[in-house]
Amino acid sequence: MGNHLLLIEDLFLEREGRLILRGVNLAVEEGEIHAILGANGTGKSTLAYAIMGLSGYKPNKGRVFFSGKDITEKSVTERAKLGITLAWQQPASFEGLTIREYLEISQRAGRGCFRIEECLSLVGLPPKNYLDRTLNDRLSGGERKRVELAAVLAMAPRLAILDEPDSGIDVLSLDDIMEVIRRMNRGGTTVLLITHREEFARAAHRASHLCGGRILKTGECEEVVRFYKNFCKECTHINEPELEKTLEKE
Amino acid sequence: MKGSVERDYSREFAALAEALGRAGGNPAALRSPRIASLVVHENRILGLNAIPGIKMDVEPLPDGIKAFVYVEPGVVIAEPVHLCFGVLPKEGVQRILSTFKIGAEAHVRFLAHCSFPNAEKVQHLMEAEIEVGEGATMEYNETHYHGPFGGTEVLPKARIKVAEGGRYITEFKLIQGRVGVLSLDYEVHLGEKAIAELVSKVYGKGKDQVRLREALYLEGAYARGLVKSRIVLQDQAEAEFTGEAVGIGPYSRGHLDCTEILRGSEAKASAVPKLIVVDERAKLTHEAAIGSIDRKELETLMARGLSEEEAVETVVRGLLR
Ligand SMILES: Nc1ncnc2c1ncn2[C@@H]1O[C@H](COP(=O)(O)OP(=O)(O)O)[C@@H](O)[C@H]1O
Ligand SMILES: [Mg+2]
């Protein structure tokens, strides 16, 4: 296990009778921003949920290790207390919970050193306009996603799983999001950055390519992006990875 | 000094004031000459303060009181009018018959607190006739405090008429302690361009029986109404929500929004929306959700280190806030 913060071994996961993850092997090193790059429907969110331990995402086979400990059987709360958190692709809304309260809850869970006002400013939401707003569906999708990033900043977890943090936020602010991710990374958070966009994966330290429920390649970002572009972007073997042998030879 | 000593009710007054404090209100308001207030224990009027612009005639009944509240046209009552009702002993009845007349263009807000901390067999009946004048705004917030015994029968009934351009905004909250039986029946009749918002938040526990009927009669053109109900049930508590919207005025709009959360498998809930379009230009909509707490909401909070129980509490608190 060495200095891997997260280690996934041969993970299989079935949903409603369909095999979504088919033997995922992944090693994320402490301190890195590691992108998971894959087309829509390849199982990226499923992998994120399995790492967080959400209900209904218990692996059929395989283990998940965090900081050398086997966490495969641990609850969501236990994993969070070990320092893992997840920012959902489509975050939940809450009636009657203010952004301030949400950020405070997040902050209490971790070792965050940012003030919650700073967290909001960093994601481009002026605190005075947002702190007392409710985290309900009157926030736009983009605003809600930014709040989710702010909450992760407030928590400063050991491992942040960010599921498509760019989706729903306008293209112009992609750089800003990446800047936020770098900030949290500099603060000591290892980031698993889930995305289907090459330009996003390029900004990571390393990347892995997920296709058909498997990691087909892990390495330098450029190399992985090239692999994805050449072989997989338009591929039709989502969850039918009959081509993977050929691809693996590359 | 023999026989004729008037009983001292300061203890009851203090208890009702304390309940007000627990609601985040200011108990000192009940003694302030600048703030209109009415404090009633059982059928005894413990405090009554009217201020310029507002008239309150109150008389005792054998089992409660009868109140007439009149706000003069055009008057803006800056501080909320405080109404405190309650029954402190284990047993008792309190019937509040009231008439509210809000003059045209007047603005007034009522904060009502009803306390039954020891109730084992208490009946609390309220019957209100409310008229909100043209362009006037009336807000009425009612918060209940109940003890742990579930021995209260709370029966609030209100018939509200809102004249052209008037607004009636109400929130009924019963989330502390156990009620026993709650049967609420609010019916609003809205004139042209009038607005009503009926919000109710109820936490049913033990064997509580909760029945809510909230009805919007959108009679005038462009009248608008919203019924929003949030009910959380645990143990063997049961709730039945009936929302009604009748679109009579052209371009009137009504919306019913009911969420009922069940904690545990023994609680029961139902929601019945009734939408009746009389004028085809009216638009009526409804949404209802009954079920356990959304898994994603819980797991979001759990991914921030809350236990499942803490996450449930957080979601429920938000919903009933
Ligand atoms: N609840 C579910 N039941 C069955 N299949 C599902 C369920 N959720 C997702 N899937 C399927 O699993 C595959 C992977 O989904 P997901 O992990 O969301 O992919 P990604 O995040 O990469 O877009 C998709 O083919 C999707 O249709
Ligand atoms: Mg996804």
Side-chain angles (χ1 to χ4, degrees), chain A residues 1-9 11 24-32 34 36 47-53 63-72 79 82-85 158-162 190-194 206 208 215 218:
Chain A
M1 271 153 259
N3 51 0
H4 302 313
L5 184 64
L6 177 73
L7 187 68
I8 297 176
E9 281 182 0
L11 205 70
V24 171
N25 287 290
L26 177 70
V28 176
E29 284 164 25
E30 177 117 47
E32 71 172 337
H34 192 120
I36 301 285
L47 177 60
Y49 301 161
I51 300 169
M52 195 67 237
R63 314 303 302 170
V64 180
F65 298 91
F66 181 73
S67 198
K69 256 192 231 115
D70 187 340
I71 59 164
T72 319
R79 293 179 203 217
L82 287 172
I84 306 176
T85 202
R158 293 187 65 197
L159 173 68
I161 309 161
L162 309 180
T190 301
V191 178
L192 193 62
L193 174 57
I194 293 174
R206 288 201 308 150
S208 292
I215 300 288
T218 293

Short mmCIF file of all heavy atoms in Angstrom, two decimals, chain A residues 1-9 11 24-32 34 36 47-53 63-72 79 82-85 158-162 190-194 206 208 215 218:
data_model
loop_
_atom_site.label_atom_id
_atom_site.label_comp_id
_atom_site.label_asym_id
_atom_site.label_seq_id
_atom_site.Cartn_x
_atom_site.Cartn_y
_atom_site.Cartn_z
N MET A 1 0.81 -1.22 0.00
CA MET A 1 0.00 0.00 0.00
C MET A 1 0.84 1.26 0.00
O MET A 1 0.43 2.28 -0.51
CB MET A 1 -0.94 0.03 1.20
CG MET A 1 -2.26 -0.64 0.90
SD MET A 1 -2.99 -1.30 2.38
CE MET A 1 -2.58 -3.03 2.25
N GLY A 2 1.99 1.20 0.60
CA GLY A 2 2.97 2.28 0.55
C GLY A 2 2.39 3.62 0.93
O GLY A 2 1.71 3.74 1.94
N ASN A 3 2.66 4.66 0.10
CA ASN A 3 2.14 5.99 0.44
C ASN A 3 0.89 6.35 -0.35
O ASN A 3 0.58 7.50 -0.56
CB ASN A 3 3.22 7.05 0.25
CG ASN A 3 3.86 6.92 -1.12
OD1 ASN A 3 3.48 6.05 -1.91
ND2 ASN A 3 4.83 7.79 -1.40
N HIS A 4 0.19 5.31 -0.80
CA HIS A 4 -1.09 5.59 -1.44
C HIS A 4 -2.09 6.03 -0.39
O HIS A 4 -2.22 5.40 0.65
CB HIS A 4 -1.65 4.35 -2.12
CG HIS A 4 -0.73 3.78 -3.15
ND1 HIS A 4 -0.12 4.56 -4.10
CD2 HIS A 4 -0.30 2.52 -3.37
CE1 HIS A 4 0.64 3.81 -4.86
NE2 HIS A 4 0.56 2.56 -4.43
N LEU A 5 -2.78 7.10 -0.68
CA LEU A 5 -3.84 7.51 0.24
C LEU A 5 -5.07 6.65 -0.01
O LEU A 5 -5.74 6.20 0.90
CB LEU A 5 -4.18 8.99 0.06
CG LEU A 5 -5.20 9.52 1.06
CD1 LEU A 5 -4.65 9.48 2.47
CD2 LEU A 5 -5.62 10.94 0.69
N LEU A 6 -5.35 6.44 -1.30
CA LEU A 6 -6.51 5.63 -1.67
C LEU A 6 -6.04 4.51 -2.58
O LEU A 6 -5.32 4.75 -3.55
CB LEU A 6 -7.53 6.50 -2.42
CG LEU A 6 -8.77 5.77 -2.93
CD1 LEU A 6 -9.71 5.40 -1.77
CD2 LEU A 6 -9.52 6.64 -3.94
N LEU A 7 -6.47 3.32 -2.25
CA LEU A 7 -6.10 2.19 -3.07
C LEU A 7 -7.34 1.33 -3.31
O LEU A 7 -8.02 0.95 -2.36
CB LEU A 7 -5.03 1.36 -2.35
CG LEU A 7 -4.42 0.21 -3.16
CD1 LEU A 7 -3.58 0.74 -4.31
CD2 LEU A 7 -3.58 -0.69 -2.26
N ILE A 8 -7.62 1.11 -4.57
CA ILE A 8 -8.79 0.31 -4.91
C ILE A 8 -8.32 -0.95 -5.61
O ILE A 8 -7.55 -0.87 -6.56
CB ILE A 8 -9.76 1.11 -5.80
CG1 ILE A 8 -10.25 2.34 -5.02
CG2 ILE A 8 -10.93 0.27 -6.26
CD1 ILE A 8 -11.13 3.25 -5.81
N GLU A 9 -8.80 -2.08 -5.12
CA GLU A 9 -8.34 -3.35 -5.66
C GLU A 9 -9.48 -4.17 -6.23
O GLU A 9 -10.39 -4.56 -5.49
CB GLU A 9 -7.67 -4.18 -4.54
CG GLU A 9 -6.25 -3.74 -4.25
CD GLU A 9 -5.61 -4.62 -3.18
OE1 GLU A 9 -6.27 -5.56 -2.68
OE2 GLU A 9 -4.46 -4.34 -2.84
N LEU A 11 -12.30 -3.86 -7.98
CA LEU A 11 -13.65 -3.54 -7.51
C LEU A 11 -14.71 -3.88 -8.57
O LEU A 11 -14.65 -3.38 -9.70
CB LEU A 11 -13.72 -2.05 -7.16
CG LEU A 11 -14.77 -1.64 -6.15
CD1 LEU A 11 -14.41 -2.15 -4.77
CD2 LEU A 11 -14.90 -0.13 -6.12
N VAL A 24 -12.13 -2.51 -11.03
CA VAL A 24 -11.38 -1.25 -10.99
C VAL A 24 -10.15 -1.41 -10.10
O VAL A 24 -10.26 -1.89 -8.97
CB VAL A 24 -12.27 -0.10 -10.46
CG1 VAL A 24 -11.43 1.15 -10.20
CG2 VAL A 24 -13.40 0.20 -11.43
N ASN A 25 -9.02 -1.03 -10.62
CA ASN A 25 -7.80 -0.94 -9.83
C ASN A 25 -7.30 0.49 -9.94
O ASN A 25 -7.17 1.02 -11.04
CB ASN A 25 -6.73 -1.90 -10.36
CG ASN A 25 -7.07 -3.34 -10.01
OD1 ASN A 25 -7.00 -3.72 -8.84
ND2 ASN A 25 -7.49 -4.10 -11.00
N LEU A 26 -7.05 1.09 -8.80
CA LEU A 26 -6.66 2.50 -8.81
C LEU A 26 -5.84 2.81 -7.58
O LEU A 26 -6.16 2.35 -6.48
CB LEU A 26 -7.93 3.38 -8.82
CG LEU A 26 -7.74 4.89 -8.76
CD1 LEU A 26 -7.14 5.42 -10.06
CD2 LEU A 26 -9.08 5.59 -8.50
N ALA A 27 -4.77 3.57 -7.79
CA ALA A 27 -3.97 4.02 -6.66
C ALA A 27 -3.82 5.53 -6.74
O ALA A 27 -3.36 6.06 -7.74
CB ALA A 27 -2.60 3.35 -6.68
N VAL A 28 -4.27 6.21 -5.70
CA VAL A 28 -4.16 7.66 -5.65
C VAL A 28 -3.14 8.02 -4.58
O VAL A 28 -3.25 7.55 -3.44
CB VAL A 28 -5.53 8.31 -5.33
CG1 VAL A 28 -5.39 9.81 -5.18
CG2 VAL A 28 -6.55 7.95 -6.41
N GLU A 29 -2.16 8.81 -4.97
CA GLU A 29 -1.11 9.15 -4.01
C GLU A 29 -1.49 10.34 -3.15
O GLU A 29 -2.18 11.24 -3.61
CB GLU A 29 0.20 9.44 -4.78
CG GLU A 29 0.86 8.19 -5.28
CD GLU A 29 1.90 8.47 -6.34
OE1 GLU A 29 2.45 9.60 -6.35
OE2 GLU A 29 2.13 7.57 -7.17
N GLU A 30 -0.97 10.29 -1.95
CA GLU A 30 -1.21 11.40 -1.03
C GLU A 30 -0.71 12.70 -1.64
O GLU A 30 0.40 12.77 -2.16
CB GLU A 30 -0.48 11.11 0.29
CG GLU A 30 -0.59 12.22 1.31
CD GLU A 30 -1.31 11.78 2.57
OE1 GLU A 30 -0.99 10.70 3.09
OE2 GLU A 30 -2.20 12.53 3.02
N GLY A 31 -1.56 13.74 -1.63
CA GLY A 31 -1.14 15.06 -2.07
C GLY A 31 -1.37 15.37 -3.54
O GLY A 31 -1.16 16.50 -3.97
N GLU A 32 -1.82 14.41 -4.31
CA GLU A 32 -1.97 14.70 -5.74
C GLU A 32 -3.41 15.10 -6.10
O GLU A 32 -4.35 14.87 -5.35
CB GLU A 32 -1.54 13.50 -6.60
CG GLU A 32 -2.46 12.30 -6.55
CD GLU A 32 -2.07 11.21 -7.57
OE1 GLU A 32 -1.40 11.51 -8.57
OE2 GLU A 32 -2.46 10.04 -7.36
N HIS A 34 -5.73 13.90 -8.80
CA HIS A 34 -5.78 12.77 -9.70
C HIS A 34 -7.12 12.79 -10.45
O HIS A 34 -8.18 12.71 -9.86
CB HIS A 34 -5.65 11.47 -8.89
CG HIS A 34 -5.42 10.26 -9.73
ND1 HIS A 34 -4.30 9.47 -9.61
CD2 HIS A 34 -6.15 9.69 -10.73
CE1 HIS A 34 -4.36 8.46 -10.48
NE2 HIS A 34 -5.48 8.59 -11.18
N ILE A 36 -10.03 11.41 -12.88
CA ILE A 36 -10.62 10.22 -13.48
C ILE A 36 -11.34 10.70 -14.72
O ILE A 36 -12.34 11.43 -14.62
CB ILE A 36 -11.65 9.54 -12.54
CG1 ILE A 36 -11.01 9.13 -11.21
CG2 ILE A 36 -12.33 8.36 -13.22
CD1 ILE A 36 -10.13 7.91 -11.28
N LEU A 47 -18.25 4.84 -9.25
CA LEU A 47 -16.98 4.65 -8.55
C LEU A 47 -16.88 5.61 -7.36
O LEU A 47 -16.51 5.23 -6.24
CB LEU A 47 -15.82 4.86 -9.52
CG LEU A 47 -14.41 4.78 -8.93
CD1 LEU A 47 -14.16 3.40 -8.31
CD2 LEU A 47 -13.35 5.08 -10.00
N ALA A 48 -17.27 6.88 -7.61
CA ALA A 48 -17.23 7.88 -6.53
C ALA A 48 -18.11 7.44 -5.35
O ALA A 48 -17.70 7.51 -4.19
CB ALA A 48 -17.72 9.24 -7.06
N TYR A 49 -19.31 6.96 -5.67
CA TYR A 49 -20.24 6.55 -4.60
C TYR A 49 -19.71 5.35 -3.84
O TYR A 49 -19.89 5.23 -2.63
CB TYR A 49 -21.62 6.22 -5.18
CG TYR A 49 -22.28 7.37 -5.92
CD1 TYR A 49 -23.32 7.15 -6.82
CD2 TYR A 49 -21.85 8.69 -5.71
CE1 TYR A 49 -23.92 8.21 -7.49
CE2 TYR A 49 -22.45 9.75 -6.39
CZ TYR A 49 -23.48 9.49 -7.28
OH TYR A 49 -24.07 10.53 -7.95
N ALA A 50 -19.05 4.46 -4.57
CA ALA A 50 -18.50 3.27 -3.92
C ALA A 50 -17.37 3.66 -2.96
O ALA A 50 -17.26 3.11 -1.87
CB ALA A 50 -18.01 2.27 -4.96
N ILE A 51 -16.59 4.64 -3.36
CA ILE A 51 -15.49 5.08 -2.48
C ILE A 51 -16.06 5.75 -1.22
O ILE A 51 -15.58 5.56 -0.12
CB ILE A 51 -14.53 6.05 -3.21
CG1 ILE A 51 -13.91 5.37 -4.43
CG2 ILE A 51 -13.42 6.53 -2.26
CD1 ILE A 51 -13.15 6.32 -5.35
N MET A 52 -17.15 6.51 -1.42
CA MET A 52 -17.78 7.19 -0.27
C MET A 52 -18.59 6.21 0.57
O MET A 52 -18.90 6.49 1.72
CB MET A 52 -18.66 8.34 -0.80
CG MET A 52 -19.08 9.35 0.26
SD MET A 52 -17.69 10.32 0.92
CE MET A 52 -17.81 9.99 2.65
N GLY A 53 -18.94 5.08 -0.03
CA GLY A 53 -19.68 4.06 0.73
C GLY A 53 -21.18 4.30 0.80
O GLY A 53 -21.84 3.91 1.77
N ARG A 63 -11.73 -4.50 -2.77
CA ARG A 63 -11.53 -3.78 -1.52
C ARG A 63 -11.18 -2.33 -1.79
O ARG A 63 -10.64 -1.98 -2.84
CB ARG A 63 -10.38 -4.37 -0.68
CG ARG A 63 -10.28 -5.85 -0.48
CD ARG A 63 -11.48 -6.51 0.13
NE ARG A 63 -11.88 -6.00 1.45
CZ ARG A 63 -13.04 -6.37 2.02
NH1 ARG A 63 -13.88 -7.19 1.42
NH2 ARG A 63 -13.35 -5.90 3.19
N VAL A 64 -11.50 -1.50 -0.82
CA VAL A 64 -11.10 -0.09 -0.86
C VAL A 64 -10.27 0.17 0.39
O VAL A 64 -10.70 -0.13 1.51
CB VAL A 64 -12.34 0.84 -0.86
CG1 VAL A 64 -11.90 2.30 -0.90
CG2 VAL A 64 -13.24 0.52 -2.05
N PHE A 65 -9.06 0.68 0.18
CA PHE A 65 -8.18 1.02 1.31
C PHE A 65 -7.98 2.52 1.36
O PHE A 65 -7.82 3.17 0.32
CB PHE A 65 -6.81 0.35 1.14
CG PHE A 65 -6.87 -1.15 1.13
CD1 PHE A 65 -7.01 -1.85 -0.08
CD2 PHE A 65 -6.78 -1.87 2.32
CE1 PHE A 65 -7.08 -3.23 -0.10
CE2 PHE A 65 -6.84 -3.26 2.30
CZ PHE A 65 -6.99 -3.94 1.09
N PHE A 66 -8.00 3.04 2.58
CA PHE A 66 -7.73 4.46 2.74
C PHE A 66 -6.64 4.59 3.79
O PHE A 66 -6.79 4.10 4.91
CB PHE A 66 -9.00 5.20 3.19
CG PHE A 66 -8.78 6.68 3.35
CD1 PHE A 66 -8.63 7.51 2.24
CD2 PHE A 66 -8.73 7.26 4.61
CE1 PHE A 66 -8.43 8.87 2.38
CE2 PHE A 66 -8.54 8.63 4.75
CZ PHE A 66 -8.39 9.44 3.63
N SER A 67 -5.56 5.21 3.39
CA SER A 67 -4.45 5.41 4.30
C SER A 67 -4.04 4.07 4.94
O SER A 67 -3.79 4.00 6.14
CB SER A 67 -4.88 6.42 5.37
OG SER A 67 -3.77 6.95 6.01
N GLY A 68 -4.05 3.04 4.11
CA GLY A 68 -3.60 1.74 4.58
C GLY A 68 -4.65 0.91 5.28
O GLY A 68 -4.45 -0.27 5.56
N LYS A 69 -5.81 1.53 5.56
CA LYS A 69 -6.87 0.80 6.28
C LYS A 69 -7.93 0.32 5.30
O LYS A 69 -8.34 1.05 4.41
CB LYS A 69 -7.57 1.75 7.26
CG LYS A 69 -7.16 1.54 8.69
CD LYS A 69 -8.12 2.30 9.59
CE LYS A 69 -7.36 3.17 10.55
NZ LYS A 69 -7.45 4.56 10.49
N ASP A 70 -8.41 -0.88 5.51
CA ASP A 70 -9.50 -1.40 4.69
C ASP A 70 -10.80 -0.74 5.13
O ASP A 70 -11.26 -0.93 6.25
CB ASP A 70 -9.58 -2.92 4.87
CG ASP A 70 -10.59 -3.54 3.90
OD1 ASP A 70 -11.45 -2.80 3.38
OD2 ASP A 70 -10.51 -4.76 3.67
N ILE A 71 -11.40 0.05 4.26
CA ILE A 71 -12.63 0.76 4.64
C ILE A 71 -13.86 0.19 3.93
O ILE A 71 -14.93 0.77 3.99
CB ILE A 71 -12.53 2.28 4.36
CG1 ILE A 71 -12.27 2.55 2.87
CG2 ILE A 71 -11.45 2.93 5.22
CD1 ILE A 71 -12.54 3.99 2.46
N THR A 72 -13.67 -0.93 3.25
CA THR A 72 -14.75 -1.45 2.41
C THR A 72 -16.07 -1.61 3.17
O THR A 72 -17.14 -1.44 2.60
CB THR A 72 -14.34 -2.81 1.81
OG1 THR A 72 -12.98 -2.73 1.40
CG2 THR A 72 -15.20 -3.18 0.62
N ARG A 79 -16.31 6.97 7.11
CA ARG A 79 -15.37 7.39 6.07
C ARG A 79 -15.14 8.89 6.14
O ARG A 79 -14.01 9.36 6.00
CB ARG A 79 -15.89 6.99 4.69
CG ARG A 79 -15.91 5.48 4.51
CD ARG A 79 -16.44 5.07 3.14
NE ARG A 79 -16.95 3.70 3.22
CZ ARG A 79 -16.84 2.80 2.25
NH1 ARG A 79 -16.25 3.10 1.13
NH2 ARG A 79 -17.34 1.59 2.42
N LEU A 82 -12.84 9.71 8.80
CA LEU A 82 -11.44 9.42 8.45
C LEU A 82 -10.88 10.50 7.54
O LEU A 82 -9.67 10.56 7.31
CB LEU A 82 -11.36 8.07 7.74
CG LEU A 82 -11.54 6.82 8.60
CD1 LEU A 82 -11.62 5.57 7.72
CD2 LEU A 82 -10.41 6.69 9.61
N GLY A 83 -11.77 11.33 6.98
CA GLY A 83 -11.27 12.42 6.15
C GLY A 83 -11.63 12.34 4.67
O GLY A 83 -11.01 12.97 3.84
N ILE A 84 -12.65 11.53 4.36
CA ILE A 84 -13.06 11.44 2.95
C ILE A 84 -14.36 12.21 2.79
O ILE A 84 -15.25 12.12 3.62
CB ILE A 84 -13.34 9.97 2.55
CG1 ILE A 84 -12.12 9.10 2.89
CG2 ILE A 84 -13.70 9.86 1.08
CD1 ILE A 84 -12.33 7.62 2.62
N THR A 85 -14.48 12.98 1.72
CA THR A 85 -15.79 13.54 1.43
C THR A 85 -16.04 13.52 -0.07
O THR A 85 -15.13 13.28 -0.88
CB THR A 85 -15.98 14.95 2.00
OG1 THR A 85 -17.39 15.20 2.13
CG2 THR A 85 -15.38 16.04 1.12
N ARG A 158 -9.04 15.01 3.94
CA ARG A 158 -7.80 14.41 3.44
C ARG A 158 -7.97 14.00 1.99
O ARG A 158 -7.04 14.11 1.19
CB ARG A 158 -7.42 13.19 4.29
CG ARG A 158 -7.04 13.59 5.71
CD ARG A 158 -6.51 12.40 6.48
NE ARG A 158 -5.27 11.90 5.90
CZ ARG A 158 -4.75 10.71 6.15
NH1 ARG A 158 -5.38 9.89 6.99
NH2 ARG A 158 -3.62 10.33 5.60
N LEU A 159 -9.18 13.52 1.67
CA LEU A 159 -9.47 13.15 0.29
C LEU A 159 -10.81 13.74 -0.14
O LEU A 159 -11.83 13.49 0.50
CB LEU A 159 -9.54 11.62 0.15
CG LEU A 159 -9.99 11.11 -1.23
CD1 LEU A 159 -8.94 11.40 -2.30
CD2 LEU A 159 -10.31 9.61 -1.20
N ALA A 160 -10.79 14.54 -1.20
CA ALA A 160 -12.04 15.09 -1.74
C ALA A 160 -12.31 14.42 -3.07
O ALA A 160 -11.48 14.44 -3.97
CB ALA A 160 -11.91 16.60 -1.92
N ILE A 161 -13.49 13.81 -3.16
CA ILE A 161 -13.91 13.24 -4.44
C ILE A 161 -14.83 14.27 -5.07
O ILE A 161 -15.90 14.55 -4.54
CB ILE A 161 -14.68 11.91 -4.22
CG1 ILE A 161 -13.89 10.97 -3.32
CG2 ILE A 161 -15.03 11.27 -5.56
CD1 ILE A 161 -14.75 9.87 -2.69
N LEU A 162 -14.40 14.87 -6.15
CA LEU A 162 -15.21 15.91 -6.80
C LEU A 162 -15.79 15.33 -8.08
O LEU A 162 -15.06 15.07 -9.03
CB LEU A 162 -14.35 17.14 -7.11
CG LEU A 162 -13.52 17.70 -5.94
CD1 LEU A 162 -12.71 18.92 -6.41
CD2 LEU A 162 -14.41 18.08 -4.76
N THR A 190 -5.95 15.75 -0.84
CA THR A 190 -5.76 14.97 -2.06
C THR A 190 -7.09 14.99 -2.81
O THR A 190 -8.14 14.87 -2.21
CB THR A 190 -5.38 13.52 -1.69
OG1 THR A 190 -4.18 13.56 -0.92
CG2 THR A 190 -5.17 12.66 -2.92
N VAL A 191 -7.02 15.21 -4.13
CA VAL A 191 -8.26 15.39 -4.88
C VAL A 191 -8.42 14.30 -5.94
O VAL A 191 -7.50 14.04 -6.73
CB VAL A 191 -8.30 16.78 -5.56
CG1 VAL A 191 -9.57 16.94 -6.39
CG2 VAL A 191 -8.19 17.89 -4.53
N LEU A 192 -9.58 13.67 -5.92
CA LEU A 192 -9.94 12.77 -7.00
C LEU A 192 -10.92 13.54 -7.87
O LEU A 192 -12.07 13.79 -7.47
CB LEU A 192 -10.58 11.50 -6.43
CG LEU A 192 -10.73 10.34 -7.41
CD1 LEU A 192 -9.37 9.87 -7.92
CD2 LEU A 192 -11.46 9.18 -6.75
N LEU A 193 -10.44 13.97 -9.01
CA LEU A 193 -11.19 14.90 -9.85
C LEU A 193 -11.87 14.13 -10.99
O LEU A 193 -11.21 13.70 -11.93
CB LEU A 193 -10.22 15.95 -10.40
CG LEU A 193 -10.74 16.95 -11.42
CD1 LEU A 193 -11.92 17.73 -10.87
CD2 LEU A 193 -9.61 17.90 -11.80
N ILE A 194 -13.17 13.97 -10.87
CA ILE A 194 -13.90 13.17 -11.85
C ILE A 194 -14.44 14.06 -12.95
O ILE A 194 -15.10 15.06 -12.68
CB ILE A 194 -15.04 12.41 -11.14
CG1 ILE A 194 -14.41 11.37 -10.21
CG2 ILE A 194 -15.98 11.78 -12.14
CD1 ILE A 194 -15.40 10.64 -9.35
N ARG A 206 -1.98 13.84 -12.19
CA ARG A 206 -1.98 12.57 -12.91
C ARG A 206 -3.42 12.26 -13.27
O ARG A 206 -4.35 12.86 -12.74
CB ARG A 206 -1.45 11.44 -12.01
CG ARG A 206 0.06 11.51 -11.76
CD ARG A 206 0.58 10.14 -11.32
NE ARG A 206 -0.19 9.61 -10.21
CZ ARG A 206 -0.37 8.30 -10.01
NH1 ARG A 206 0.15 7.41 -10.84
NH2 ARG A 206 -1.06 7.88 -8.96
N SER A 208 -6.35 9.01 -14.63
CA SER A 208 -6.66 7.63 -14.99
C SER A 208 -7.84 7.66 -15.93
O SER A 208 -8.72 8.52 -15.82
CB SER A 208 -7.04 6.82 -13.75
OG SER A 208 -5.92 6.64 -12.92
N ILE A 215 -10.42 0.81 -15.13
CA ILE A 215 -9.38 1.80 -15.39
C ILE A 215 -8.48 1.20 -16.47
O ILE A 215 -7.85 0.16 -16.26
CB ILE A 215 -8.55 2.08 -14.12
CG1 ILE A 215 -9.43 2.62 -13.00
CG2 ILE A 215 -7.38 3.03 -14.44
CD1 ILE A 215 -9.92 4.03 -13.15
N THR A 218 -3.44 4.58 -16.39
CA THR A 218 -3.11 5.60 -15.40
C THR A 218 -1.76 6.18 -15.75
O THR A 218 -0.86 5.43 -16.16
CB THR A 218 -3.04 4.99 -13.98
OG1 THR A 218 -4.35 4.58 -13.60
CG2 THR A 218 -2.55 6.02 -12.95
#
